[in-house]
Amino acid sequence: MRPGGALLALLASLGASLLLLRLLRCPAAPARARVSAEEAREDAAGTAAAQRMLRSPGTPAPRAANSTHLNEKSLELTEKCKNLHYGIQSLSNKTRRYSEDDYLQIITNIQSCPWKRQAEEYANFRAKLASCCDAIQNFVVSQSNTPVGTNMSYEVESKKEIPIKENIFHMFPVAQPFVERPYNQCAVVGNGGILNRSLCGAEIDKSDFVFRCNLPPITGNISKDVGSKTNLVTVNPSIITLKYGNLKKKKELFLEDIATYGDAFLLLPAFSFRANTGASFKVYYTLKESKARQKVLFFHPKYLKHLALFWRTKGVIAYRLSTGLMITSVAVELCENVKLYGFWPFSKTIEDAPVSHHYYDNTLPKRGFHQMPKEYSQILQLHVKGILKLQFSKCEIA
């Protein structure tokens, strides 16, 4: 072969090799892509592993399906809780006789919703009460709001008047006695049988101010459920007449019973009916003569009249408001936080267990005197709005 021919053959061979190399190099792009994807998966796995390492050992990895389910449940609960007051309102508006089961279902729903105090709602409701009634200045009769010479109209028998002479005037405190208000935490303790075995006594006694109704028993074993601290207790004059014989033969028993309330104020509706006046004044003079620690106060009839008009606008059209609703209204004005215990006008629990009317007896109220379903629906509304809190069941023990 000629020298030039050999060189040409060599060059041809080299060109073919280069072309072959280029052809072999083309499939490398998909291969590299696969490697990159695998590396990305490894990186992701590494990141997930790192995240697992950063989580505490007790925290399970999130699962998308469960998270979605929980979010849906949470949204359902939130929506249900938002609409609770509509259910209460529709129940309250029913014209037929109310059913306990209807109310108990509403309460079951309420208990499944978290309660939170709503400062704005509280302030608005308190302002409305202050505008109509002004408990801070007018809750009880005082020398400052009822001067000598006043012809005071009775709350219910409004056409009847009692002239305020010197002897009556001196029964009144000089000014409103609740100078330390607003109290931070107040307990309004009703007498419902739901308090039995509630173990709420310790919680009640931690309150800054405790309101009670109609001289309920608070000593002995029952105190673990109802507490013993008392700052103000109402007295229905009928109790003085029926239980204590108008303080003639049973005066000592009366003094013994009220001694259990310590330095509490005794609050009486002396000027609601003319029949209440004599028994209420008898309590005042009995305590004064005995130099008892307790002090007597009288509900101002004008305050109670205005309060009844306020609740009438909410649908509570009764012959007379219950003492519980009166005191709850007062507490909202005098306190920053209000919690209600023993408010339960039903014959059974939500678990269908029987409940006595009072925690100390099963004496039912006079039919038609109060409008308990309407009142209770209003209190439920206040709970749902975060204005006050109702204790429905046993208290948690710290």
Side-chain angles (χ1 to χ4, degrees), residues 19-260:
L19 179 61
L20 181 61
L21 282 173
R22 274 197 294 271
L23 289 171
L24 289 172
R25 198 174 282 127
C26 288
R32 180 60 198 163
R34 283 195 298 274
V35 171
S36 298
E38 287 167 5
E39 287 174 352
R41 282 196 293 272
E42 288 171 2
D43 288 344
T47 303
Q51 288 174 342
R52 285 195 296 273
M53 291 292 289
L54 288 171
R55 289 192 198 105
S56 69
T59 306
R63 295 171 67 179
N66 281 354
S67 177
T68 303
H69 179 68
L70 289 173
N71 286 340
E72 287 174 357
K73 286 288 184 185
S74 179
L75 286 171
E76 285 176 16
L77 181 62
T78 301
E79 195 62 28
K80 183 182 78 172
C81 294
K82 275 184 183 178
N83 295 327
L84 275 174
H85 63 280
Y86 294 117
I88 300 168
Q89 190 63 48
S90 63
L91 184 58
S92 177
N93 290 339
K94 284 186 177 179
T95 54
R96 65 176 176 80
R97 189 179 182 277
Y98 85 101
S99 163
E100 282 197 350
D101 291 331
D102 292 338
Y103 272 92
L104 294 177
Q105 182 56 57
I106 287 281
I107 291 168
T108 301
N109 294 339
I110 288 173
Q111 284 186 282
S112 69
C113 297
W115 184 90
K116 184 181 179 183
R117 183 181 184 273
Q118 300 295 333
E120 187 174 348
E121 290 277 6
Y122 189 89
N124 288 341
F125 186 72
R126 179 194 262 180
K128 288 175 184 176
L129 275 175
S131 177
C132 89
C133 311
D134 193 4
I136 292 168
Q137 297 299 325
N138 301 322
F139 164 37
V140 300
V141 182
S142 66
Q143 293 180 5
S144 61
N145 64 27
T146 310
V148 173
T150 301
N151 287 320
M152 182 180 284
S153 296
Y154 282 90
E155 174 208 344
V156 181
E157 299 172 304
S158 56
K159 293 182 180 179
K160 305 297 181 182
E161 295 181 341
I162 179 170
I164 304 303
K165 299 179 180 178
E166 288 281 351
N167 62 328
I168 298 176
F169 178 76
H170 289 300
M171 294 183 192
F172 308 153
V174 174
Q176 296 294 303
F178 307 105
V179 293
E180 295 179 22
R181 62 107 199 141
Y183 302 96
N184 180 30
Q185 184 68 45
C186 291
V188 180
V189 186
N191 297 331
I194 199 74
L195 278 171
N196 283 319
R197 295 178 294 281
S198 68
L199 302 177
C200 287
E203 184 175 302
I204 290 168
D205 287 347
K206 287 179 183 176
S207 305
D208 300 305
F209 200 97
V210 179
F211 299 87
R212 298 184 189 272
C213 302
N214 295 330
L215 299 181
I218 57 171
T219 56
N221 201 40
I222 195 64
S223 65
K224 73 179 185 302
D225 294 328
V226 304
S228 58
K229 181 177 181 178
T230 308
N231 298 96
L232 182 147
V233 58
T234 66
V235 184
N236 191 323
S238 64
I239 298 173
I240 303 303
T241 304
L242 299 174
K243 185 176 180 179
Y244 298 108
N246 209 28
L247 300 181
K248 292 177 180 176
K249 292 181 179 179
K250 298 182 179 179
K251 181 171 75 172
E252 294 304 318
L253 174 61
F254 171 73
L255 291 171
E256 184 181 322
D257 285 349
I258 65 163
T260 61

Side-chain angles (χ1 to χ4, degrees), residues 258-275:
I258 65 163
T260 61
Y261 300 112
D263 295 324
F265 290 103
L266 269 60
L267 178 65
L268 297 102
F271 307 111
S272 291
F273 302 89
R274 285 182 299 169

